[in-house]
Coordinates of all heavy atoms in Angstrom, one line a residue:
Y1 N 0.8 -1.2 0.0 CA 0.0 0.0 0.0 C 0.8 1.3 0.0 O 0.6 2.2 -0.7 CB -0.9 0.0 1.2 CG -1.8 -1.2 1.3 CD1 -1.5 -2.2 2.3 CD2 -2.8 -1.5 0.4 CE1 -2.3 -3.3 2.4 CE2 -3.6 -2.6 0.5 CZ -3.3 -3.5 1.5 OH -4.1 -4.7 1.5
E2 N 1.9 1.3 0.8 CA 2.7 2.5 0.9 C 3.5 2.7 -0.4 O 3.7 3.9 -0.8 CB 3.7 2.4 2.1 CG 3.1 2.4 3.4 CD 2.7 1.0 3.9 OE1 2.9 0.0 3.1 OE2 2.1 0.9 5.0
L3 N 3.9 1.7 -1.0 CA 4.6 1.7 -2.3 C 3.7 2.2 -3.4 O 4.1 3.0 -4.3 CB 5.2 0.4 -2.6 CG 6.3 0.4 -3.6 CD1 7.4 1.3 -3.2 CD2 6.9 -1.0 -3.7
A4 N 2.4 1.8 -3.4 CA 1.4 2.3 -4.3 C 1.2 3.8 -4.2 O 1.2 4.6 -5.2 CB 0.1 1.6 -4.2
F5 N 1.2 4.3 -2.9 CA 1.0 5.7 -2.7 C 2.3 6.5 -3.1 O 2.2 7.6 -3.7 CB 0.7 6.0 -1.2 CG 0.5 7.4 -0.9 CD1 -0.7 8.1 -1.4 CD2 1.4 8.1 -0.1 CE1 -0.9 9.4 -1.1 CE2 1.1 9.4 0.2 CZ 0.0 10.1 -0.3
F6 N 3.4 5.9 -2.9 CA 4.7 6.5 -3.3 C 4.7 6.6 -4.8 O 5.1 7.7 -5.4 CB 5.9 5.7 -2.8 CG 7.2 6.3 -3.2 CD1 7.6 7.6 -2.9 CD2 8.2 5.4 -3.8 CE1 8.8 8.1 -3.2 CE2 9.4 5.9 -4.1 CZ 9.7 7.2 -3.9
H7 N 4.3 5.6 -5.5 CA 4.2 5.7 -7.0 C 3.2 6.7 -7.5 O 3.4 7.4 -8.5 CB 3.9 4.3 -7.6 CG 4.1 4.2 -9.0 ND1 5.2 4.5 -9.7 CD2 3.1 3.9 -10.0 CE1 5.0 4.4 -11.0 NE2 3.8 4.0 -11.2
L8 N 2.1 6.8 -6.7 CA 1.1 7.8 -7.1 C 1.7 9.2 -7.0 O 1.6 10.0 -7.9 CB -0.1 7.7 -6.1 CG -1.1 8.8 -6.3 CD1 -2.0 8.6 -7.5 CD2 -2.0 8.8 -5.0
L9 N 2.5 9.5 -6.0 CA 3.1 10.8 -5.8 C 4.2 11.1 -6.9 O 4.2 12.1 -7.5 CB 3.7 11.0 -4.4 CG 2.8 10.9 -3.2 CD1 3.5 11.0 -1.9 CD2 1.7 12.1 -3.4
M10 N 5.0 10.1 -7.1 CA 6.1 10.3 -8.1 C 5.4 10.4 -9.5 O 5.9 11.3 -10.3 CB 7.0 9.0 -8.2 CG 7.9 8.9 -6.9 SD 9.0 10.3 -6.7 CE 8.1 11.2 -5.4
H11 N 4.4 9.6 -9.8 CA 3.7 9.7 -11.1 C 3.1 11.1 -11.3 O 3.1 11.6 -12.4 CB 2.7 8.6 -11.2 CG 1.9 8.6 -12.5 ND1 0.7 9.2 -12.6 CD2 2.3 8.2 -13.7 CE1 0.3 9.1 -13.8 NE2 1.2 8.5 -14.5
A12 N 2.5 11.6 -10.2 CA 1.9 12.9 -10.3 C 2.9 14.0 -10.7 O 2.6 14.9 -11.5 CB 1.2 13.3 -9.0
L13 N 4.1 13.9 -10.2 CA 5.1 14.9 -10.5 C 5.5 14.9 -12.0 O 5.4 15.9 -12.6 CB 6.3 14.7 -9.6 CG 6.2 14.9 -8.2 CD1 7.4 14.5 -7.4 CD2 5.9 16.4 -7.9
F14 N 5.9 13.7 -12.5 CA 6.3 13.8 -13.9 C 5.1 13.8 -14.9 O 5.3 14.2 -16.0 CB 7.3 12.6 -14.2 CG 6.9 11.2 -14.0 CD1 6.0 10.6 -14.8 CD2 7.4 10.5 -12.9 CE1 5.7 9.3 -14.6 CE2 7.0 9.2 -12.7 CZ 6.2 8.6 -13.5
K15 N 3.9 13.4 -14.5 CA 2.8 13.5 -15.4 C 2.3 14.9 -15.5 O 1.9 15.3 -16.6 CB 1.6 12.6 -14.8 CG 0.5 12.4 -15.8 CD 1.0 11.9 -17.1 CE 1.5 10.5 -16.9 NZ 1.4 9.6 -18.1
A16 N 2.4 15.7 -14.4 CA 2.1 17.1 -14.5 C 3.1 17.8 -15.5 O 2.7 18.6 -16.3 CB 2.2 17.8 -13.1
L17 N 4.4 17.4 -15.4 CA 5.3 18.0 -16.4 C 5.0 17.6 -17.8 O 5.1 18.4 -18.7 CB 6.7 17.5 -16.0 CG 7.9 18.1 -16.9 CD1 7.9 19.6 -16.9 CD2 9.2 17.5 -16.4
L18 N 4.6 16.3 -18.0 CA 4.2 15.9 -19.4 C 3.0 16.7 -19.9 O 3.0 17.1 -21.1 CB 3.8 14.4 -19.3 CG 4.9 13.4 -19.5 CD1 4.4 12.0 -19.3 CD2 5.6 13.6 -20.9
F19 N 2.0 16.9 -19.1 CA 0.8 17.7 -19.5 C 1.2 19.2 -19.8 O 0.6 19.8 -20.7 CB -0.3 17.6 -18.6 CG -1.2 16.4 -18.8 CD1 -1.3 15.4 -18.0 CD2 -2.0 16.3 -20.0 CE1 -2.2 14.3 -18.2 CE2 -2.8 15.3 -20.3 CZ -2.9 14.2 -19.4
L20 N 2.0 19.7 -19.0 CA 2.5 21.1 -19.2 C 3.2 21.2 -20.6 O 3.0 22.1 -21.4 CB 3.4 21.6 -18.1 CG 2.6 21.9 -16.8 CD1 3.6 22.2 -15.7 CD2 1.7 23.1 -17.0
C21 N 4.1 20.3 -20.8 CA 4.8 20.3 -22.1 C 3.9 20.0 -23.3 O 4.0 20.6 -24.3 CB 5.9 19.2 -22.1 SG 7.3 19.5 -20.9
A22 N 2.9 19.1 -23.1 CA 1.9 18.9 -24.1 C 1.2 20.1 -24.5 O 0.9 20.4 -25.7 CB 1.0 17.8 -23.7
G23 N 0.8 20.9 -23.5 CA 0.1 22.1 -23.7 C 0.9 23.1 -24.5 O 0.4 23.8 -25.5
I24 N 2.2 23.2 -24.2 CA 3.0 24.1 -25.0 C 3.2 23.6 -26.4 O 3.2 24.4 -27.4 CB 4.4 24.2 -24.3 CG1 4.3 24.9 -23.0 CG2 5.4 25.0 -25.2 CD1 5.5 24.8 -22.1
L25 N 3.4 22.3 -26.6 CA 3.5 21.8 -27.9 C 2.3 22.0 -28.8 O 2.3 22.3 -30.0 CB 3.9 20.3 -27.9 CG 5.3 20.0 -27.3 CD1 5.5 18.5 -27.2 CD2 6.3 20.6 -28.1
I26 N 1.1 21.7 -28.2 CA -0.2 21.9 -28.9 C -0.3 23.3 -29.3 O -0.7 23.6 -30.5 CB -1.3 21.4 -28.0 CG1 -1.3 19.9 -27.9 CG2 -2.7 21.9 -28.6 CD1 -2.3 19.4 -26.8
H27 N 0.0 24.3 -28.4 CA -0.1 25.7 -28.8 C 0.9 26.1 -29.9 O 0.5 26.8 -30.8 CB 0.1 26.5 -27.5 CG 0.0 28.0 -27.8 ND1 -1.1 28.6 -28.1 CD2 1.0 28.9 -27.8 CE1 -0.9 29.9 -28.2 NE2 0.4 30.1 -28.1
G28 N 2.1 25.6 -29.7 CA 3.1 25.9 -30.7 C 3.0 25.2 -32.0 O 3.5 25.7 -33.0
A29 N 2.2 24.1 -32.1 CA 2.1 23.4 -33.4 C 0.8 23.8 -34.1 O 0.3 23.1 -34.9 CB 2.1 21.9 -33.1
G30 N 0.2 25.0 -33.7 CA -1.0 25.5 -34.4 C -2.2 24.8 -33.9 O -3.2 24.6 -34.6

């Protein structure tokens, strides 16, 4: 259980970065 929560937190960090980058790319690609 603790490891699943740890993965949830780590995943949230790099997934937020992925969505931010995706937004910039979508805007920049017309």
